[in-house]
Amino acid sequence: MTPDPLPSAHQLLAFYLEAGVDCALAEEPANRLHDPEVAPKEAAKNPASPSLEQARPVRPAFAPAPAMPAEPMPSPDAAIASAREAARTAPSLEALRSLLETFDGCALKSTATRLVFADGNPKARIMFVGEAPGREEDIEGLPFVGRSGKLLDRMIAAIGLDRNAAYIANVIPWRPPGNRTPTPLETQICLPFIQRQIELVDPDILVTLGNPSTQTLLGTRDGIMKTRGRWLNYDTGTRSIRAMATFHPAYLLRSPSYKRMAWQDLRAIAKALAQTTP
Ligand code: URA
């Protein structure tokens, strides 16, 4: 049998990226297979085995070891119940942020670099909610600071505003590893926090960006093509907030032909804001 050809450096990097290994831990590469703690023991155990140089690594040499949560994770039901209880009792946005900093019910916290709570003005009349932070957001601790964030800034400018007059958050406040889609359980656990965040900001208009945040917050199973551009209601339990879904900026970057529709949505939002007395 002919052995598979060794992958090229480009293929390996593409594989690492796909697996979520998207940043280097150090400036210089480190060959962990030459780690004296490991190599001599392995070689002594089986002298007939191929040299460590020839052996294929079972784990990428510079992939970070998976972070282990310090405590065992609570059961899904217990995590959702404690998220609800914690979020319900937060009297302010600062308190909510502190609660999230100490909340250990969501496994995403252990793989993310930091909490990505919000950006913008907590007194804003308009609030935008995306899905989950990506790599740049995870590094900076602020939502929408990467490429899609730059487009979101232009979308906000199309309404005649900037980040000082808008509030921006995500349904999920921790980056899922490798930007994978959050699981339904992770979404359920994080939901009470974003619901409380919306309640505390209490905007005149809520804009959900893309399918996941629209379906999660506005309780619809319809796709974004159907939901976008229509006025819906978001019920906080004590008040009804006007809500509109539009395309996620990351989607618009991939499919620029939908920008025309997104800009129609933004015009409708600008008009509604102008008609709502501050
Ligand atoms: N995409 C999101 O949904 N949120 C961010 O913060 C960045 C990218």
Side-chain angles (χ1 to χ4, degrees), residues 167-182:
Y167 187 84
I168 305 166
N170 283 304
V171 171
I172 309 277
W174 294 284
R175 181 200 183 195
N179 294 352
R180 68 158 169 74
T181 303

Side-chain angles (χ1 to χ4, degrees), residues 130-134 137 143-144 148 170 248:
E131 183 183 17
E137 290 77 21
F144 285 100
S148 56
N170 283 304
H248 192 288

Side-chain angles (χ1 to χ4, degrees), residues 62-143:
F62 47 84
M68 296 295 290
E71 298 284 329
M73 292 302 292
S75 73
D77 285 349
I80 295 172
S82 84
R84 286 198 185 133
E85 183 57 20
R88 199 178 57 78
T89 55
S92 65
L93 288 169
E94 298 73 44
L96 190 65
R97 180 198 281 263
S98 307
L99 278 167
L100 268 168
E101 296 278 10
T102 54
F103 181 74
D104 284 324
C106 180
L108 291 176
K109 183 182 180 182
S110 60
T111 49
T113 310
R114 67 191 88 249
L115 174 75
V116 178
F117 185 68
D119 193 18
N121 185 345
K123 295 200 166 36
R125 296 174 56 214
I126 185 161
M127 176 166 177
F128 293 84
V129 184
E131 183 183 17
R135 181 169 177 265
E136 282 86 358
E137 290 77 21
D138 180 63
I139 293 168
E140 287 200 31
L142 289 171

